[in-house]
Amino acid sequence: MTSSTLTEPKHNLEELKNYKALYEGVHMIFTNRFIGAEAHFAKHASEDSKLPAGLRAYHLVLRGFVKLFLAIATWGKQAIDKAVEVMWEAEALAATDTFDPLGAKLVQAHACLQGAFLQILQKRFAKAAWNIRSSWKYFQGAMADLESFEGCSQVRAEHEVSAKLGVGAFNLILSLMPPLIITVTKVLGFSADRQLGFKMLREAYSANRLMSPIAAQVLLAYFTTISSTLAEQTQEYREEAKEILKGVLKRHPKGVFLLWMKTSLLRSCRQHKEAIKCANLSESVCKDAPGLGMMSSWQSAWCSMLMLDWSNTKAFFLKILNSKHKMTQDGVPGFYCYGASLAAINQGELKEGEQLLERVESACKNFDLPHEQYSRRKSKTLLKLLKRERRASTEEYPDAFKCQSYMENIQLIVEWNFVKYMSDDIRAKVAKESTAWYERRKELRCWDDEQMAWYHLLMSHITFYDGDTKAAMEQGALALGYAKRAKPQHSTLLAQSYFFMSMLYLNKSPPDFKAASRKCSRAKEKCTGDLSKRMSFLLHALKARIAQLKKEHAEKEKEKKEKKNSKGEPNGLADANRAVSDETANSEREKEKETESTKNEEKPGMLSGAIGMVSGAVAWGWGAIGVADEESDDAIEEDKLEAAVPRPPTESDLDGE
């Protein structure tokens, strides 16, 4: 591209006039006129609009952006497929533009990036990697061209914000990708820098240009929802999300996407009643796309579940399930049905709960989504348990069934890593009720290794968020021992147990990075089952977090050491003293070795006896509660854990009793 192409003032001034239609369309998105926005963008993307190809393609990208958010919000497979088509149409159209080559290049970059993200949702990882590479090349070229752009300052500002949004989103999204995608992109010559992504997105948002609200939306999506899902949300993220929301909600006080983010933030802050009010407002203002508004009930259902409000949990899930909107039915209707069934049983509506469990199988429509696979498997297990227990009991709904249904609902909260969002009093109530059911299961002789593992994993979560890391380690180790022996075929139980132990080691004071990394690796090895893909993202995020915290910890230790040295003796004298000290210490160690060798030759049993006593003490202090010696090999560690966990009664034991 030549410099003259970039500095033609007539083109830039004409383009600036044409930005008005783009601003109108973006405003429609954030005022919930989604159908209108789609029609608006489609109109200006058509040949009849007489706009240059690049600007028409810009309209197509924004139309695809609307479809992208609708697809993600509702898990709609068809919506995802349609959004991908729109992206490739925009990319091809922009390639023909000669009016504004820089703007066209940015459109191509955005189309490839959003298309790649959608392809990941479609599980087309190889194509996604290739389009991520194409996106990066376009952005690199656009950033270089931007340096020499000397045309209209306002057009330049629009292009700069568009580029910063793209580069920021590129780095943030790529940093969240599965290891396979990360590996491929590194081979192709580029990698992600999340902090650079944040910086670019913040600058794009604060510029108050066409794409600024979208930059805010991307930041909010990460700070409120994605980081929460990946168990890496921090107080700093929540505070920044509050500030961003304060600004964008002033301009768009009823923007449904923004209200969604606010609902997620309130849930993370354990303000569940306020979150439900916000979700209800989101639904009420979403007249143009009621199917999307209906999905606010998803947020409300989870908030109700975290308050143990079973009546509203059931009502919100059923509201989505029974909705006539195709958008909600393209999602995970089997999961809505399963959630409603558990809530009904825990509410005491046992007959309704059973009927909903029986309905899950037919409600499931999208078996390529893990939620549907999980719901079908779990509903079948509960119905099978009910059938078996009825044969051995005079009650229509035996306690074993009610107990299991309660624990399955709590297990759902553990699977989604949402225990931390329960208030203190609710966590205490869950601990009390779960322990009561645990004791009842033992009385009924219907407990097994898998359920015991989930119980101890729950208690590990509860004690950790109550501030008792030691108790959490004990409960987590017991969960790990039970989980290994259970060998669940379709559950992420073993991976979840290793994952949370890794989190605990990372939160020790000081952190044990070696143990945390080892547990994370073991979790990855054991990541199987219907929710394994979701779990793999958690583990990828945890691995990156361990590496980042380890690096920060090393830098802090280095700074402390340097400060200590600077306050002490002059460097030359300090070095000389350290050398003398090291030599003396080495000499003393050699003498100690010789003495020990002599003692061992005279009393061969003494050293082994001492080691045995120490090992016995460690085994009594740690092995009895299931916590392994982290310096040992994983295989030895797991054998100790398995030996420390009591076995449930077998059929022969019960016959003997």
Side-chain angles (χ1 to χ4, degrees), residues 534-548:
R534 181 182 180 279
M535 189 75 208
S536 66
F537 274 95
L538 271 172
L539 295 172
H540 166 57
L542 178 59
K543 184 179 178 182
R545 186 180 173 201
I546 292 170
Q548 180 63 29

Side-chain angles (χ1 to χ4, degrees), residues 121-155:
L121 297 181
Q122 292 175 321
K123 302 175 187 176
R124 298 175 181 176
F125 298 119
K127 288 186 177 180
W130 179 260
N131 285 305
I132 287 172
R133 176 180 179 273
S134 299
S135 170
W136 181 241
K137 284 195 165 187
Y138 284 132
F139 278 126
Q140 274 190 318
M143 292 296 279
D145 291 345
L146 197 58
E147 292 295 321
S148 57
F149 188 93
E150 297 176 355
C152 173
S153 60
Q154 292 187 54
V155 173

Side-chain angles (χ1 to χ4, degrees), residues 198 202 219-225 227 233 237 240-241 244:
F198 288 152
R202 286 166 182 142
L219 281 170
L220 286 170
Y222 177 76
F223 289 145
T224 65
T225 305
S227 63
Q233 191 181 69
Y237 288 164
E240 184 165 357
I244 294 173

Side-chain angles (χ1 to χ4, degrees), residues 239-291:
E239 291 301 323
E240 184 165 357
K242 287 178 185 177
E243 288 302 312
I244 294 173
L245 279 167
K246 191 184 296 183
V248 292
L249 283 172
K250 279 184 180 178
R251 299 188 66 183
H252 307 290
K254 294 183 179 180
V256 67
F257 289 135
L258 302 176
L259 291 173
W260 260 48
M261 299 302 109
K262 185 178 179 180
T263 302
S264 295
L265 180 62
L266 289 168
R267 185 197 65 206
S268 298
C269 296
R270 304 176 186 174
Q271 299 174 343
H272 302 305
K273 290 182 179 178
E274 290 79 3
I276 291 173
K277 287 179 183 177
C278 190
N280 289 341
L281 174 60
S282 172
E283 182 181 344
S284 68
V285 299
C286 197
K287 304 297 184 185
D288 206 13

Side-chain angles (χ1 to χ4, degrees), residues 198-484:
F198 288 152
K199 179 177 180 293
M200 290 289 194
L201 287 167
R202 286 166 182 142
E203 289 177 2
Y205 159 60
S206 61
N208 196 26
R209 291 285 173 177
L210 173 69
M211 303 296 269
S212 293
I214 297 175
Q217 182 70 31
V218 174
L219 281 170
L220 286 170
Y222 177 76
F223 289 145
T224 65
T225 305
I226 298 172
S227 63
S228 167
T229 302
L230 298 178
E232 57 185 28
Q233 191 181 69
T234 63
Q235 184 60 30
E236 289 76 14
Y237 288 164
R238 288 191 284 270
E239 291 301 323
E240 184 165 357
K242 287 178 185 177
E243 288 302 312
I244 294 173
L245 279 167
K246 191 184 296 183
V248 292
L249 283 172
K250 279 184 180 178
R251 299 188 66 183
H252 307 290
K254 294 183 179 180
V256 67
F257 289 135
L258 302 176
L259 291 173
W260 260 48
M261 299 302 109
K262 185 178 179 180
T263 302
S264 295
L265 180 62
L266 289 168
R267 185 197 65 206
S268 298
C269 296
R270 304 176 186 174
Q271 299 174 343
H272 302 305
K273 290 182 179 178
E274 290 79 3
I276 291 173
K277 287 179 183 177
C278 190
N280 289 341
L281 174 60
S282 172
E283 182 181 344
S284 68
V285 299
C286 197
K287 304 297 184 185
D288 206 13
L292 177 63
M294 183 65 63
M295 290 304 297
S296 297
S297 296
W298 167 269
Q299 295 266 33
S300 298
W302 276 104
C303 289
S304 300
M305 193 190 300
L306 293 171
M307 293 189 292
L308 305 187
D309 181 352
W310 306 123
S311 176
N312 278 323
T313 303
K314 180 188 74 172
F316 285 122
F317 274 132
L318 285 178
K319 189 174 184 179
I320 313 172
L321 179 65
N322 296 327
S323 165
K324 301 301 181 184
H325 302 297
K326 187 177 183 303
M327 193 180 291
T328 60
Q329 297 307 310
D330 278 348
V332 285
F335 186 85
Y336 311 144
C337 190
Y338 177 65
S341 69
L342 294 180
I345 294 166
N346 291 322
Q347 184 190 0
E349 301 292 338
L350 299 169
K351 187 67 177 176
E352 183 184 11
E354 182 186 1
Q355 291 170 347
L356 286 167
L357 280 175
E358 291 170 342
R359 184 180 167 188
V360 170
E361 176 79 22
S362 60
C364 289
K365 294 179 180 177
N366 304 309
F367 288 114
D368 55 333
L369 295 175
H371 299 64
E372 300 287 78
Q373 299 165 19
Y374 176 87
S375 303
R376 181 172 64 169
R377 175 173 63 84
K378 285 292 187 179
S379 61
K380 283 183 175 180
T381 300
L382 276 173
L383 288 170
K384 186 177 178 181
L385 171 68
L386 178 59
K387 186 176 179 181
R388 185 177 67 243
E389 290 298 319
R390 274 176 172 165
R391 288 198 301 263
S393 172
T394 56
E395 297 178 352
E396 186 178 7
Y397 296 100
D399 276 358
F401 171 72
K402 290 184 281 187
C403 163
Q404 186 64 26
S405 299
Y406 177 86
M407 293 306 294
E408 290 291 352
N409 212 143
I410 301 303
Q411 179 185 321
L412 198 60
I413 295 171
V414 175
E415 283 269 24
W416 260 253
N417 200 36
F418 279 178
V419 174
K420 60 190 168 191
Y421 299 137
M422 289 178 164
S423 61
D424 294 346
D425 58 326
I426 292 296
R427 278 202 312 273
K429 184 177 180 181
V430 168
K432 183 178 179 181
E433 290 180 351
S434 298
T435 302
W437 279 121
Y438 160 77
E439 295 296 337
R440 180 62 177 146
R441 282 179 70 87
K442 288 198 292 186
E443 290 175 19
L444 296 168
R445 303 170 182 173
C446 63
W447 57 301
D448 57 33
D449 287 330
E450 184 173 353
Q451 293 306 317
M452 291 301 294
W454 280 115
Y455 166 74
H456 287 292
L457 185 56
L458 165 67
M459 296 307 294
S460 183
H461 277 255
I462 288 174
T463 49
F464 174 67
Y465 294 117
D466 284 344
D468 192 343
T469 304
K470 183 180 177 182
M473 293 284 286
E474 295 172 3
Q475 291 292 332
L478 279 170
L480 188 54
Y482 276 114
K484 181 177 182 295

